[in-house]
C-alpha cells in the first residue's frame, strides 16, 4: 500500500518536508517523519502527556487535567529557594508546557521576605521567554525536531491516535503545543491568588492587588483571579470587601474567570450565591485534597462543586511530599517540615498500600497518589522545582486506577491513625 500524505508542515521557514501515514501491523496509523530508505523505524518516546481532547472545561477556560503549583518559587524558609534555582525552574516550566500542561498556580504572597511576589515574577519571565517552537518554528500541534538535521517541523495532526516512528540514525524529539493556528502565550493559564491582608479593606485595593500581579506576570489578563483565603473566621466585615473586589476585577476584564481557595462548604455556597447575583460565575475552588486529606469537609466541598459546576483544584495532592515514597520517619526532608515527624509514623498503612499499588502498576507512589486525585474528578496541582519532578508527576496521566484499587487506597487511608493537618485559614 502506498503512503498517504496525512500531515502537512505548518509555518516553518526552515523545512519543506511532508510526514506520511502508513498502516502498521497492528492496524493503527503510523505517523512517520520523512526518512532515508536506509533508515529503520523504531517507536519514538516520549509522547505528549496531554492532548487537546484531554483538556478540562473550567468555566470559559480549557485547562490541562493536571496543573503545577509554584509555592516553592521564592520561598527560602520552607523550600530553601535560591536564585541559582531559576534555571532549573525554567527548565521544568518549559518541559511541562511542551508536554501539554497549561495551568500554573501562584499567589501574590508567594516568596519570603524581600522575595515576596517572586513566584509571579518568575512565571511572568518564563511565559515571556517560552519558545514558540524550538529552532524558530511557529505553529501548533506536534513539533518534531531532528537533532542531526538541526531543524524542526510543525505539523497539524488530523488523526485521533498514532504511533510516531523515527529512523535509527536520526533522533527525533517530540513535544505538544496547545492547539490553534498559531502558538500564543495566551494558551498558558495562570491562576493567581490575592492575600486577604488586613490592610486590604476596600474593593479598590483588591483590584490594585490584581493589577500588581499582572505587572509582575507581564500580562494584561489573568486566567483565574482567586481569593487566597476567607476572613470569615476572624474578620467577617472584610469578607464582603474581598468579594466586591473579585467582582470588580472581573468587570474590568483583568481576569477571565474567578475562583476561591480555602473556602469551606458553607462559605463556598455563600460566595457562589453572591457572585451569581452579580453575574460573575465562580469557576474554581482550591482546597487541600489528597489521600492524606479526604475528610468530611473535603468530600462535602467536592459534592458542592460537582453539583454547581465548579472545578475543584487540589493543592498539596502529595501531602507536602509525604506520599511520594521518598521519606520515612528515619529519612525526613531538610528544613522546617516538622509535620513529617508528627504524621509519618501514623500513615504506614497508607504508604504500604501506595507502595503495593505502585509496584503492581509499575508506577511511582507519586503517580498513584496523583492518579487517585484524577480519578476523583479534581485537578491536582503538585508543586515542582525541577524537570525530574515534572516528568514523574505527568506519569500520573494517561491511565486510571481500577475501582478496587481506589477502594483499597481509601481503606488504607482510613486505617491510618494520622492525616494531614488542615490549613488554619480553611473556613466552615
Amino acid at each position: 500500500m502506498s503512503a498517504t500524505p496525512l500531515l502537512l508542515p505548518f509555518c516553518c521557514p526552515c523545512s519543506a518536508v511532508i510526514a506520511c501515514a502508513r498502516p502498521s501491523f497492528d492496524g493503527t496509523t503510523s505517523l512517520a517523519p520523512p526518512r532515508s530508505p536506509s533508515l529503520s523505524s523504531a517507536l519514538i518516546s516520549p509522547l505528549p502527556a496531554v492532548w487537546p481532547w484531554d483538556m478540562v472545561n473550567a468555566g470559559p477556560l480549557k485547562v490541562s487535567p493536571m496543573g503545577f503549583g509554584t509555592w516553592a518559587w521564592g520561598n527560602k524558609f520552607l523550600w530553601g529557594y535560591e536564585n541559582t534555582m531559576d534555571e532549573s525552574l525554567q527548565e521544568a516550566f518549559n518541559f511541562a508546557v511542551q508536554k501539554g500542561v497549561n495551568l500554573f498556580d501562584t499567589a501574590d504572597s508567594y516568596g519570603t521576605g524581600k522575595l515576596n511576589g517572586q513566584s509571579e515574577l518568575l512565571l511572568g519571565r518564563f511565559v515571556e521567554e517560552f519558545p514558540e517552537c524550538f529552532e524558530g518554528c511557529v505553529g501548533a500541534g506536534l513539533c518534531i525536531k531532528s537533532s542531526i538535521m538541526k531543524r524542526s517541523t510543525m505539523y497539524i495532526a488530523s488523526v485521533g491516535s498514532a504511533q510516531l516512528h523515527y529512523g535509527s540514525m536520526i533522533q527525533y524529539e517530540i513535544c505538544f503545543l496547545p492547539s490553534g493556528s498559531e502558538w500564543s502565550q495566551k494558551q498558558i493559564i495562570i491562576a493567581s491568588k490575592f492575600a486577604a491582608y488586613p490592610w486590604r479593606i476596600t474593593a479598590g485595593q483588591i483590584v490594585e492587588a490584581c493589577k500588581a500581579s499582572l505587572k509582575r506576570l507581564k500580562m494584561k489578563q489573568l486566567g483565574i483571579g482567586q481569593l487566597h483565603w476567607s476572613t470569615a473566621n476572624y474578620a467577617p466585615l472584610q469578607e464582603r470587601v474581598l468579594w466586591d473586589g473579585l467582582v470588580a476585577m472581573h468587570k474590568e476584564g483583568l481576569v477571565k474567570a474567578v475562583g476561591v481557595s480555602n473556602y469551606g462548604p458553607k462559605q463556598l455556597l455563600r460566595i457562589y450565591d453572591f457572585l451569581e447575583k452579580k453575574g460573575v460565575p465562580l469557576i474554581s475552588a482550591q482546597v487541600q485534597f489528597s489521600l492524606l486529606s479526604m475528610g468530611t469537609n473535603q468530600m462535602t466541598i467536592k459534592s458542592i462543586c460537582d453539583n454547581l459546576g465548579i472545578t475543584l483544584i487540589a493543592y498539596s495532592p502529595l501531602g507536602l511530599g509525604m506520599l511520594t515514597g521518598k521519606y520515612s520517619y528515619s529519612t525526613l526532608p531538610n528544613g522546617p517540615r516538622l509535620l513529617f515527624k508528627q504524621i509519618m509514623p501514623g500513615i504506614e498503612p497508607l504508604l504500604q498500600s501506595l507502595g503495593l499499588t505502585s509496584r503492581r502498576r509499575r508506577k511511582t507512589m507519586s503517580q498513584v497518589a496523583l492518579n487517585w486525585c484524577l480519578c476523583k474528578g479534581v485537578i491536582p496541582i503538585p508543586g515542582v522545582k525541577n524537570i525530574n519532578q515534572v516528568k514523574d508527576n505527568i506519569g500520573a496521566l494517561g491511565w486510571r486506577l481500577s475501582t478496587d484499587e481506589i477502594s483499597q487506597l481509601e481503606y488504607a487511608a482510613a486505617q491510618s491513625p494520622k492525616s494531614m493537618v488542615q490549613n488554619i485559614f480553611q473556613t466552615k
Side-chain angles (χ1 to χ4, degrees):
M1 183 180 294
S2 60
T4 304
L6 181 66
L7 303 179
L8 296 176
F10 190 83
C11 298
C12 185
C14 58
S15 179
V17 295
I18 297 177
C20 297
R22 293 180 170 84
S24 60
F25 291 109
D26 61 3
T28 60
T29 300
S30 169
L31 304 185
R35 56 195 174 117
S36 163
S38 62
L39 299 179
S40 61
S41 296
L43 184 64
I44 189 170
S45 180
L47 289 172
V50 182
W51 297 87
W53 49 85
D54 294 324
M55 290 295 183
V56 176
N57 291 321
L61 309 174
K62 286 189 177 295
V63 300
S64 48
M66 178 189 295
F68 287 119
T70 62
W71 179 23
W73 300 12
N75 190 307
K76 281 179 173 286
F77 177 71
L78 190 62
W79 301 105
Y81 169 80
E82 297 291 344
N83 291 333
T84 54
M85 296 179 179
D86 290 356
E87 184 176 349
S88 178
L89 294 175
Q90 186 166 23
E91 182 183 35
F93 173 85
N94 286 347
F95 185 83
V97 177
Q98 289 158 20
K99 290 301 175 186
V101 175
N102 76 333
L103 176 63
F104 295 86
D105 181 74
T106 184
D108 64 357
S109 61
Y110 284 179
T112 50
K114 294 181 180 179
L115 291 172
N116 193 51
Q118 181 73 356
S119 174
E120 289 182 330
L121 286 169
L122 288 173
L123 265 177
R125 194 184 102 203
F126 297 166
V127 172
E128 183 180 51
E129 295 177 359
F130 181 76
E132 293 184 346
C133 179
F134 297 104
E135 311 290 337
C137 174
V138 178
L142 298 180
C143 175
I144 302 173
K145 182 178 75 170
S146 162
S147 60
I148 291 181
M149 298 169 70
K150 298 299 181 184
R151 64 185 183 186
S152 52
T153 307
M154 186 66 66
Y155 298 97
I156 301 299
S158 59
V159 293
S161 62
Q163 291 179 345
L164 286 152
H165 295 268
Y166 70 105
S168 59
M169 291 177 62
I170 301 180
Q171 299 294 317
Y172 286 92
E173 185 176 311
I174 180 172
C175 66
F176 168 76
L177 296 179
S179 60
S181 61
E182 181 177 356
W183 165 249
S184 170
Q185 293 177 355
K186 294 179 181 178
Q187 298 287 349
I188 299 175
I189 306 299
I190 303 298
S192 195
K193 301 182 291 293
F194 311 111
Y197 293 133
W199 55 85
R200 290 178 175 171
I201 56 175
T202 68
Q205 287 174 307
I206 307 302
V207 172
E208 288 304 310
C210 179
K211 290 179 178 178
S213 288
L214 287 170
K215 184 176 180 180
R216 285 188 290 270
L217 289 162
K218 301 180 182 179
M219 292 180 169
K220 295 181 180 179
Q221 188 181 46
L222 269 178
I224 311 175
Q226 309 161 100
L227 296 179
H228 204 157
W229 65 83
S230 166
T231 62
N233 288 347
Y234 61 92
L237 295 179
Q238 187 185 8
E239 184 82 339
R240 177 60 184 267
V241 169
L242 299 174
W243 295 3
D244 287 337
L246 208 58
V247 171
M249 68 178 68
H250 187 269
K251 297 291 187 183
E252 288 190 30
L254 301 177
V255 298
K256 292 180 182 177
V258 301
V260 293
S261 178
N262 295 309
Y263 270 59
K266 293 181 180 179
Q267 206 64 4
L268 180 60
L269 286 170
R270 291 188 184 115
I271 190 171
Y272 176 87
D273 290 339
F274 173 85
L275 293 174
E276 187 177 40
K277 291 175 183 176
K278 298 291 184 178
V280 179
L282 179 69
I283 73 136
S284 68
Q286 275 197 44
V287 66
Q288 185 175 205
F289 191 93
S290 72
L291 281 164
L292 268 181
S293 187
M294 45 175 266
T296 302
N297 230 28
Q298 277 77 16
M299 293 308 171
T300 303
I301 292 169
K302 183 184 182 306
S303 178
I304 291 171
C305 288
D306 290 343
N307 291 333
L308 297 179
I310 301 170
T311 300
L312 185 62
I313 300 175
Y315 73 78
S316 295
L318 296 175
L320 299 180
M322 278 183 269
L323 299 180
T324 63
K326 298 177 182 177
Y327 307 111
S328 67
Y329 187 73
S330 58
T331 56
L332 298 174
N334 296 324
R337 278 185 268 183
L338 302 178
L339 287 175
F340 279 62
K341 188 173 293 187
Q342 175 186 342
I343 296 174
M344 288 296 290
I347 60 172
E348 193 58 35
L350 174 56
L351 294 179
Q352 288 178 357
S353 183
L354 274 171
L356 179 64
T357 305
S358 68
R359 289 190 294 273
R360 183 169 57 240
R361 282 281 189 164
R362 296 185 180 180
K363 301 291 183 180
T364 66
M365 287 174 61
S366 296
Q367 291 165 357
V368 173
L370 291 171
N371 193 269
W372 177 85
C373 290
L374 294 167
C375 289
K376 303 305 282 189
V378 307
I379 297 178
I381 51 169
V384 291
K385 294 189 292 182
N386 56 63
I387 193 171
N388 288 331
Q389 290 177 341
V390 175
K391 289 179 179 179
D392 186 25
N393 290 338
I394 63 176
L397 299 169
W399 59 283
R400 306 280 286 187
L401 289 164
S402 69
T403 302
D404 286 344
E405 288 171 326
I406 292 172
S407 297
Q408 290 165 7
L409 288 168
E410 292 178 358
Y411 177 79
Q415 294 301 305
S416 298
K418 291 287 186 177
S419 61
M420 196 65 181
V421 175
Q422 296 304 298
N423 195 308
I424 60 171
F425 291 112
Q426 181 75 38
T427 60
K428 295 182 179 179

